[in-house]
Amino acid sequence: MALLQRSVVASVSRLLASVLAPYAGFSFNLLDYLSTCTDTALVLCIVVARLLLLCLMWFSRTVAPILFRAPGGSFVFDTSEELYDDARFSMVRNWDGAHLFFIAHHGYLCENQVVFFPGLPVLIRSLEHVTRQLAPVLHRIAPVAFYVCLVNVTASCLAGVLLRRLTILTFLGPEAVQCTCRWRSAKRPSSTPESEKSSNYAKMQLSEAAEATIQSTTEATLCYRLMCGMTGTVLDAPDIHAPLPVTVAEAKEAALRRRRIVGGAVLVWVITPAMVFTVVVYTESLFALVTMFGLYLLAWHEPLPWAVQLRIASYLSSLTTPDPAATTTSKAPAQARLAPPPPLAQQWALATNTIGGGATARSHIPGIPSLLRNATPGASGEITMVWKQSFLSSTEVAAVLLFTLAGSFRSNAFTFAGFLFFPLAVQLALPAVYEAQASAVLAGPSARMAMSAAAKHGGAGKDRPCRVARCPTLRPPLQRIPHPLRIFIVALECICVTLPYFAMNYFGYQRFVLQVWNATDKAHIGHAFWNLYPMLQKKHWGVSLFSAYTSANFPNVVLALPVALLTVLCICVYYLAPAWLNLRAATTPSAGAWRTTQQRMWIAAMALVRSSNVVHLVALLALALTVMHVQVTNRFVMACPALYWLLGTQLAARPTSLVSELILLWCILWGMLGGILFPNHLPWT
């Protein structure tokens, strides 16, 4: 037994070493690659992982019973997946897939089927019509379940692309999204004698030089954003009390750390422990794709104009270029320590902006108005910025429609209405955070509007009056109270997002409660049709508060423990603890003074609520661990970007630590167990 234990431990250690080696070394860093590769390369990585899982599922379903001499030649616990479609590729139609196929073929005939929303059954029915009626050759090649699997794998790949874009947008900025997230990389000319004679060689050289300029300029813009605290989005604000980089070298190190967080988040998505549910007939892939697309549209903000980015690159280059007079007296002159500019709204409010020129150029970082003064003729202090209240945007409308569409796949889609309300809550309760968000989000559009105003009026001179640039925005930075019409529109959007959940409950209420239920059950639900979903969960699956924590259900609790413990650990270590330390350092009471209970509670709460994605993750995790089947926790939270951000931060900060090894081991083992148990209809839901 001891020899067997040593063999198992040695095998696991070698497995972890092989996984950790690619990004723990110095020659090749996997996290750097995943954060900077093209979208095509990222899709290929995800496809390879999903195909390997499908191969494992096929092996456990067809080959393993023969090798291990299973009774009856099969490990299949239940053959209900063979009731619909043919027996080919039936391994992906287990558990919920059987219900979804039944609904697609026959509709909602039983009340317990109301908990399965109609999005995926409609897709199955559509694919059934296409493959059987419009193109019968497709059905002869493969069953409908295969095409559903193909759709889910495609959705999983696109969701991974959107996750990386959202992570880059949140941690680095929109300029990094435009520079990094491309489907095809720039071609590099080969230096062979034959290629140098071709007519396209000069063009390719120019293209390579332009690409190098784009990369260096974008890197400078990232450093500028980090040094000015202009990161984050309207959904996830930065830690306003965190110390900012004061030199260009520190900013570059911070940018590298954040890029590796992006790579860590992508790595966890590629080998997600809920991987089996991204390829089988489940809603996870489509739900993740639709919701992440909606979050990306809500979080997106305009990048800085290219002229401003070039000015930033020139400014930072002047800081890193050593002074000739200094090099004669010192071989390694110290880099300039820079102070950030005031918030963006205050920069435009200043009558004259003296920051960024003359003797203060090497002690203060120039603000956006100062950069425009040098980048665009006439875009100087004579431009007055007016923040114009807008009430709706096309991206917000698209996000609301996507969240509503997600409600046709899963019941918990209504929780995404909180992302629409979150910016209003920040505007009301957290003015400092709201001001920091405005600096990050409105820098691009305000600079563009100022440049447009300067170009329209031909610049500003002594004989020209002060020009006014109007910048429309949903969240004016100088407005503490949201506009009543804006609040009303957001309320309508939240109702729209929750509409599928209420519509499905009302459908079940009309079809089953009023027509089938007895008088006692009708009296229990009354007219509150929105309570039908939790009542059906309790009636047919025994789901209630803490009902999962029994001795008989202990194995399912074990399945949910890793995601719960690792998430809580990463939230405490990388999210709450640094924020609390920074906030306490920034709000230290005077000597002899004591903080009140309300002040201490505010310090604790402010760090938690600055990120809507983290709040959403905590809420879903609490919901799954208390009033749901606890074993579904892994797939229930897999559409939360914050889960991948937190685990990716751990992998990037301490790649060879025990916690990082546990994260990788958990992802790999849970994926393998799902690939073995699910195709045989064994408990893995």
Side-chain angles (χ1 to χ4, degrees), residues 49 53 63 100 136 150 323 358 371 388 418 448 543 582 608 616 659 683:
L53 177 65
V63 179
L100 294 170
L150 189 63
D323 190 358
L371 294 170
K388 182 181 178 182
R448 177 177 57 83
V543 176
N582 296 330
L608 179 63
H616 185 246
V659 177

Side-chain angles (χ1 to χ4, degrees), residues 293-587:
F293 194 13
L295 291 176
Y296 180 70
L297 291 177
L298 277 184
W300 174 255
H301 55 272
E302 185 178 340
L304 290 169
W306 181 245
V308 178
Q309 295 187 48
L310 290 175
R311 179 68 187 103
I312 291 173
S314 175
Y315 168 73
L316 294 184
S317 177
S318 66
L319 293 178
T320 55
T321 302
D323 190 358
T327 55
T328 59
T329 59
S330 176
K331 294 183 179 180
Q335 291 193 17
R337 300 180 66 84
L338 306 173
L344 182 68
Q346 298 180 21
Q347 295 176 27
W348 287 110
L350 295 176
T352 57
N353 195 317
T354 59
I355 299 176
T360 62
R362 290 187 176 270
S363 60
H364 290 82
I365 302 175
I368 297 298
S370 299
L371 294 170
L372 287 174
R373 178 187 305 170
N374 298 302
T376 304
S380 61
E382 290 81 0
I383 297 292
T384 301
M385 184 61 59
V386 176
W387 309 103
K388 182 181 178 182
Q389 173 75 63
S390 59
F391 301 101
L392 198 60
S393 66
S394 58
T395 55
E396 187 174 84
V397 172
V400 171
L401 293 178
L402 287 170
F403 292 154
T404 306
L405 176 62
S408 67
F409 294 109
R410 292 265 293 272
S411 60
N412 63 305
F414 72 90
T415 60
F416 285 83
F419 290 101
L420 301 170
F421 177 75
F422 178 79
L424 297 181
V426 171
Q427 185 176 357
L428 280 169
L430 303 173
V433 175
Y434 180 68
E435 192 175 55
Q437 285 180 327
S439 297
V441 174
L442 297 179
S446 63
R448 177 177 57 83
M449 297 306 297
M451 294 173 64
S452 176
K456 180 179 179 181
H457 298 288
K462 295 182 179 180
D463 300 331
R464 293 187 177 94
C466 177
R467 306 303 181 188
V468 176
R470 300 183 182 275
C471 182
T473 174
L474 295 174
R475 291 162 285 273
L478 301 178
Q479 185 174 324
R480 175 68 185 275
I481 305 299
H483 195 282
L485 181 57
R486 175 64 184 160
I487 297 176
F488 177 73
I489 291 175
V490 171
L492 291 180
E493 292 173 342
C494 293
I495 293 174
C496 183
V497 173
T498 58
L499 190 60
Y501 177 82
F502 289 108
M504 196 63 191
N505 278 268
Y506 185 75
F507 164 77
Y509 181 83
Q510 291 288 331
R511 183 158 188 172
F512 298 106
V513 175
L514 298 183
Q515 300 182 19
V516 179
W517 284 22
N518 55 43
T520 304
D521 293 336
K522 287 181 181 179
H524 183 62
I525 191 174
H527 297 288
F529 64 89
W530 52 86
N531 289 329
L532 178 62
Y533 184 89
M535 289 184 65
L536 291 177
Q537 289 279 1
K538 183 177 181 179
K539 179 179 179 180
H540 294 280
W541 288 277
V543 176
S544 60
L545 185 63
F546 297 117
S547 61
Y549 297 95
T550 61
S551 57
N553 202 44
F554 180 74
N556 289 328
V557 176
V558 173
L559 293 179
L561 275 181
V563 65
L565 295 179
L566 291 173
T567 301
V568 171
L569 176 63
C570 291
I571 287 177
C572 293
V573 174
Y574 297 107
Y575 183 75
L576 290 180
W580 284 339
L581 291 176
N582 296 330
L583 185 58
R584 287 172 181 171
T587 59

Side-chain angles (χ1 to χ4, degrees), residues 241 425-426 428-433 480 580 583 587 596-609:
H241 299 291
V426 171
L428 280 169
L430 303 173
V433 175
R480 175 68 185 275
W580 284 339
L583 185 58
T587 59
T596 63
T597 303
Q598 290 79 5
Q599 289 175 334
R600 289 195 295 268
M601 292 178 61
W602 179 253
I603 289 175
M606 185 176 179
L608 179 63
V609 301

Side-chain angles (χ1 to χ4, degrees), residues 272-297:
T272 172
M275 190 191 307
V276 68
F277 301 107
T278 65
V279 299
V280 298
V281 185
Y282 269 61
T283 59
E284 268 62 30
S285 288
L286 292 170
F287 184 79
L289 172 63
V290 174
T291 54
M292 286 187 183
F293 194 13
L295 291 176
Y296 180 70
L297 291 177

